[in-house]
Amino acid sequence: MNKKRLINVGCLFLCLAVLPASIAAQKKKPRVKPITANVTVPASNPTPAQRRQEAFMMAWATLNQNYFDKTFGGLDWNVIRLEYQPRVNKARTDAEFHRILNDMIKRLGKSHLEIIVPEYFESLEKAKVKARVREKQLAAERRAQAGKGIDQQTPDADEDFKSLEGERYGIGVEVKMLDGKMVISGIAKQSGAALSGLKPGYVIDKINGISLEDTIAQALISGTSLTEVRHILPIQIVESFLNGDADTSVFLTCIDESDKPKEFTVPRLKLDGETVSISNNFPEQFLRFESSSLNADVGYIKFNAFALPVIGKFCDSLTEFRNKKAVIIDLRGNLGGLLASMVGLVGMLTDKELNLGTIISRGSSQPFLVTPKNKHFTGKIVVLVDGQSMSASEMFTAGLQGSQRAIVVGERTGGQSLPAYWTRLSTGAVMVYPIADFITSTGKSLEGTGLEPDHPIALDRKSLLQGADTQLNKALALIADESAFVALGTKKISPTAAPLLLTSDAPPPMIKAIATPTPLPPPGPNDPRSLKMVADFITAIGGADAIKGISSYEMRGSIETDREGEGLIEFYAAAQFPDKYMMSTKSTAMGDIREIHNGKTSILQSDIGVDRALPPNPYAKNTHLLWAFFYATDLEYLNGLKYEGEYLAEGSLRRILSATSPEGWYVGLSFDDKSGLLKTFSLPGIMYTFGDYRKINNVMLPFQIDMDRVMKIKLSWLTVNSKLDASTFDKKVKCFDKAN
């Protein structure tokens, strides 16, 4: 059986739970002259070999600049480059190259180092096409039934497709490796496994006639570590062999409670869950969330990945459990996910600020502090973990354990806990790489060692066959024992910083703070040539009266950032002059992040739980997105205009002006020589670049805005003088904003 690699999501900044590799022994070699991280881009039509060379240098240079351990674990990274370059030169195919590249980065021996090949993304696209075909088939069936007089509702086709696109089919089991055997540890209600008579404690001996015992032996012979086989192989078996297409079945041979082989034909039914995304540049994941009341005093929450939708579901569960004395959070089998979601989740479990640990990157360290939400649970908390609890689930648990907010029960976690980023290579592959280490509040790194539970309890097959979950039972016993929680809540945390917003998918600061420079001397008189250029610009965009007639605007579009791996982010902004403005950015990972200025207060809020007041803005008029554009037409703002010269940019001539603002700051402007339109506007610490002008209500306005070379906003829609609802500039109330 060919082993199919499973892409496991860890945490985001990003953290990704990927398989560790051993560091190959190396003899000391003389250092060679390092090369820079700048990569020369090949010609416009590069050959496959050139693409592979570019991808290799990008991967090597990215790690050379950003890998969190500047010592590279004792390896000479320049020597590694020289060692692998000849192998890359000889690679005949992208698949061969990707294997070589993966081998190189695995030499570092850390988690969250992985090459995700483009074939993986192609398979996802094929699945979406298949879902679209099914949607059309269902629509045709509905039309046929309607034609026969059968009363059928006809839902929106796009909504149908979204539902089909997120479906996942399988037999509905969880599998653990116990005593060297693959044992069913859990079965979902109304699943194919439940309907077929499978039971927890049954050993899966064969899948479609393939022996799992032989598979495990072969994996160990091929060099797969025992840890990987124990923790990752069971998940791979479920995802790659037990799950599959709709309307299919899998044939199993299991060892039952009498230790005798028993055969089952198990149908693959729709699994309970939803497809979620943690990034535009990363494969989608299947989220399963379970919430139930175990008894009058104890609520139970289980989820298999940290993702944005978990925050709302978690909040709804805590609302339901508000009168309970305790909550059990089951993170067994949770591979991690969005680290930033911990801001909201942990904030709903505390009534005081908690220090979850420290993020240590190559050049800095920062505490990971979380503040309480209005809705928060203050009762007892027990967290269940096992060897398949990795990355964000380890950090979440360690944060609660280290701050003495929760008791941890189960088995040592997987020890894969490095915050990571990713970058797309020229071959279409994505490289995931760690950019930091997470140190617990007790001063320990979880990488390679994992988290030790307060109460180590292992699952065993005998108990499972008897219908007992030893780890869950221990949690319930601790909750019933008042003395078990006496020591919790005594640790004091000293606040030192604002909460971290940990994600690579979050947009940069929406409006960059303007630096406070040394005021310039009083400006001289305006240069007539410069005055004419500004006047020509005002005329070109519609005239002074048309500009002054703008009292509000709305715009939609997308943000493309220059930071690695972020891709496109949805964008919306609205302004009501003179002092109301809001900007919203939405991404698949972070949801909605809103910056709001309503004339009275300025706030930042997000779906993940970051919610704080922004400092008072003494330059209210400088807040909205088009402030620089409008100030370029304001001769009361531009003092001492002076012609500074010209230069060529992007094939056209630009003419440069300087001025002094009323605050005494230097202002720089440039105009296109042919059109007379504003191209750049700068103050100390910030520069705007404008392009793609279009006429809206007789005014030429820019549809492309490059903010300080950090993020590029491309508008798809813009309107002026529309009537804006007052609620546009209000804070959006989330579930966790509502008190218990």
Side-chain angles (χ1 to χ4, degrees):
M1 179 181 75
N2 292 327
K3 180 180 169 187
K4 180 178 178 182
R5 178 169 295 278
L6 178 71
I7 304 301
N8 302 319
V9 180
C11 65
L12 192 148
F13 226 120
L14 175 86
C15 283
L16 294 159
V18 292
L19 312 182
S22 300
I23 299 178
Q26 287 212 341
K27 296 180 181 179
K28 295 229 178 205
K29 297 181 181 179
R31 293 189 62 84
V32 297
K33 184 178 179 180
I35 67 171
T36 66
N38 297 323
V39 178
T40 301
V41 179
S44 57
N45 294 311
T47 65
Q50 287 175 320
R51 284 191 296 101
R52 291 192 284 269
Q53 287 292 337
E54 180 189 359
F56 172 71
M57 288 309 304
M58 175 62 76
W60 181 91
T62 296
L63 290 171
N64 191 50
Q65 279 191 331
N66 302 305
Y67 184 64
F68 74 100
D69 178 9
K70 63 182 179 181
T71 71
F72 290 93
L75 298 179
D76 190 318
W77 199 235
N78 290 291
V79 171
I80 293 292
R81 174 178 58 84
L82 294 178
E83 178 184 340
Y84 279 86
Q85 184 73 70
R87 294 176 60 184
V88 171
N89 295 342
K90 295 178 182 179
R92 298 295 184 92
T93 65
D94 284 358
E96 182 182 356
F97 164 70
H98 292 146
R99 288 193 293 270
I100 293 170
L101 189 58
N102 206 51
D103 180 61
M104 181 184 80
I105 66 176
K106 288 297 184 180
R107 294 280 287 273
L108 293 170
K110 295 294 184 182
S111 68
H112 303 79
L113 269 169
E114 182 70 280
I115 301 297
I116 306 174
V117 297
E119 291 80 7
Y120 189 92
F121 297 96
E122 291 169 7
S123 67
L124 294 177
E125 290 305 312
K126 289 179 181 178
K128 291 181 179 181
V129 170
K130 185 175 180 179
R132 175 64 75 181
V133 171
R134 289 188 60 212
E135 181 271 327
K136 291 181 178 179
Q137 291 173 341
L138 288 174
E141 291 173 5
R142 286 196 299 269
R143 288 194 296 268
Q145 290 172 337
K148 294 177 181 180
I150 301 173
D151 184 19
Q152 291 287 330
Q153 290 185 338
T154 305
D156 180 79
D158 287 338
E159 290 303 316
D160 268 4
F161 171 63
K162 291 176 183 177
S163 174
L164 292 171
E165 185 182 23
E167 289 182 358
R168 186 75 64 86
Y169 291 84
I171 69 171
V173 298
E174 294 179 5
V175 176
K176 308 289 184 187
M177 188 172 181
L178 304 178
D179 297 326
K181 300 183 183 298
M182 293 297 171
V183 178
I184 297 174
S185 58
I187 296 178
K189 297 178 181 178
Q190 301 302 314
S191 63
L195 297 175
S196 300
L198 290 173
K199 298 179 181 179
Y202 278 19
V203 175
I204 301 179
D205 185 42
K206 295 179 181 179
I207 301 176
N208 294 331
I210 298 175
S211 169
L212 290 191
E213 184 176 354
D214 292 345
T215 300
I216 294 170
Q218 184 59 46
L220 293 171
I221 292 172
S222 66
T224 306
S225 70
L226 180 59
T227 298
E228 180 177 331
V229 169
R230 288 184 57 210
H231 296 164
I232 302 300
L233 188 57
I235 299 175
Q236 290 178 320
I237 286 171
V238 172
E239 293 292 331
S240 302
F241 298 98
L242 299 183
N243 292 348
D245 293 334
D247 303 322
T248 62
S249 298
V250 61
F251 184 75
L252 301 181
T253 301
C254 296
I255 307 300
D256 66 9
E257 59 274 329
S258 301
D259 287 335
K260 294 181 179 180
K262 193 172 182 179
E263 296 180 347
F264 299 85
T265 300
V266 189
R268 294 184 174 110
L269 304 179
K270 182 180 176 182
L271 298 175
D272 187 15
E274 63 182 292
T275 298
V276 298
S277 176
I278 61 168
S279 166
N280 293 322
N281 290 330
F282 204 76
E284 294 175 330
Q285 305 296 314
F286 192 71
L287 171 66
R288 296 183 297 275
F289 187 95
E290 177 185 350
S291 177
S292 62
S293 178
L294 298 182
N295 57 48
D297 293 331
V298 183
Y300 174 85
I301 297 173
K302 181 175 184 177
F303 53 97
N304 69 320
F306 282 74
L308 183 63
V310 170
I311 298 176
K313 296 176 186 292
F314 194 85
C315 190
D316 290 340
S317 296
L318 291 185
T319 302
E320 181 183 350
F321 300 153
R322 60 184 175 273
N323 295 322
K324 292 191 179 293
K325 297 179 180 179
V327 170
I328 296 173
I329 303 173
D330 191 345
L331 299 182
R332 293 175 294 182
N334 186 309
L335 299 178
L338 183 68
L339 181 57
S341 65
M342 291 167 55
V343 174
L345 295 176
V346 176
M348 289 184 277
L349 297 174
T350 180
D351 58 358
K352 61 183 179 181
E353 186 177 67
L354 294 183
N355 182 356
L356 302 186
T358 304
I359 304 293
I360 299 181
S361 60
R362 194 165 187 165
S364 64
S365 64
Q366 192 172 6
F368 192 172
L369 303 180
V370 173
T371 55
K373 301 300 168 192
N374 287 338
K375 177 169 291 178
H376 54 263
F377 181 79
T378 57
K380 302 174 182 177
I381 297 174
V382 178
V383 181
L384 302 180
V385 295
D386 62 9
Q388 294 173 337
S389 304
M390 299 180 186
S391 207
S393 61
E394 296 181 89
M395 300 182 196
F396 175 87
T397 306
L400 293 178
Q401 182 191 51
S403 59
Q404 298 187 351
R405 180 64 188 96
I407 291 177
V408 181
V409 174
E411 302 165 65
R412 183 180 291 273
T413 60
Q416 299 189 20
S417 59
L418 300 179
Y421 277 168
W422 64 93
T423 187
R424 189 175 291 275
L425 305 177
S426 56
T427 56
V430 168
M431 182 179 75
V432 184
Y433 60 97
I435 49 82
D437 194 4
F438 175 78
I439 306 299
T440 69
S441 59
T442 58
K444 298 179 181 179
S445 171
L446 303 177
E447 176 68 13
T449 60
L451 175 73
E452 179 67 23
D454 299 303
H455 297 271
I457 300 289
L459 287 180
D460 64 89
R461 183 178 173 232
K462 181 179 179 181
S463 298
L464 289 172
L465 287 169
Q466 295 173 350
D469 183 336
T470 53
Q471 295 166 340
L472 180 60
N473 290 343
K474 180 63 177 180
L476 290 169
L478 288 168
I479 290 170
D481 181 5
E482 293 295 336
S483 64
F485 287 82
V486 170
L488 296 187
T490 60
K491 186 175 181 179
K492 295 182 179 179
I493 305 297
S494 299
T496 58
L500 293 177
L501 183 62
L502 298 179
T503 179
S504 70
D505 218 22
M510 297 181 186
I511 300 298
K512 186 173 180 178
I514 300 174
T516 304
T518 302
L520 297 173
N526 289 326
D527 176 353
R529 184 178 182 183
S530 299
L531 280 173
K532 184 177 185 307
M533 290 178 63
V534 174
D536 289 345
F537 167 58
I538 294 172
T539 300
I541 62 176
D545 290 341
I547 297 168
K548 292 179 180 178
I550 298 177
S551 60
S552 67
Y553 67 74
E554 283 185 281
M555 56 177 65
R556 295 186 186 276
S558 61
I559 296 175
E560 182 179 354
T561 72
D562 290 337
R563 298 189 294 177
E564 286 184 308
E566 292 191 3
L568 294 177
I569 299 170
E570 293 181 29
F571 165 82
Y572 170 81
Q576 181 74 58
F577 300 145
D579 56 3
K580 293 182 179 179
Y581 173 73
M582 70 82 61
M583 178 188 281
S584 164
T585 62
K586 291 183 180 179
S587 65
T588 52
M590 299 294 293
D592 191 7
I593 299 177
R594 293 162 50 86
E595 182 175 326
I596 304 167
H597 306 268
N598 58 24
K600 298 179 181 179
T601 59
S602 297
I603 58 174
L604 176 71
Q605 69 165 155
S606 76
D607 288 348
I608 65 167
V610 172
D611 186 358
R612 60 177 177 265
L614 296 174
N617 184 2
Y619 308 106
K621 292 183 179 180
N622 297 0
T623 299
H624 71 88
L625 188 64
L626 292 178
W627 69 269
F629 175 82
F630 285 119
Y631 272 155
T633 70
D634 188 349
L635 292 175
E636 294 182 2
Y637 184 83
L638 301 174
N639 300 295
L641 280 165
K642 180 181 179 183
Y643 185 77
E644 298 287 356
E646 58 193 42
Y647 69 101
L648 283 173
E650 301 175 351
S652 63
L653 186 68
R654 295 185 186 178
R655 301 193 181 278
I656 309 167
L657 306 182
S658 66
T660 302
S661 74
E663 299 87 4
W665 299 352
Y666 175 86
V667 182
L669 307 92
S670 72
F671 296 90
D672 182 78
D673 181 54
K674 291 183 178 180
S675 66
L677 297 176
L678 178 71
K679 296 299 295 184
T680 62
F681 184 101
S682 63
L683 287 171
I686 188 169
M687 182 174 76
Y688 283 67
T689 301
F690 301 100
D692 188 17
Y693 280 80
R694 305 181 194 179
K695 183 172 285 189
I696 303 294
N697 284 23
N698 298 318
V699 179
M700 295 289 289
L701 295 172
F703 271 60
Q704 184 169 321
I705 305 166
D706 184 347
M707 294 179 63
D708 204 24
R709 308 291 184 184
V710 174
M711 67 177 181
K712 299 177 182 179
I713 300 173
K714 294 183 178 180
L715 301 180
S716 57
W717 172 80
L718 188 156
T719 184
V720 299
N721 295 335
S722 56
K723 186 176 181 180
L724 300 176
D725 192 286
S727 63
T728 302
F729 308 101
D730 291 339
K731 175 182 175 180
K732 301 297 184 184
V733 178
K734 303 294 182 181
C735 172
F736 48 67
D737 293 321
K738 303 172 184 177
N740 297 331

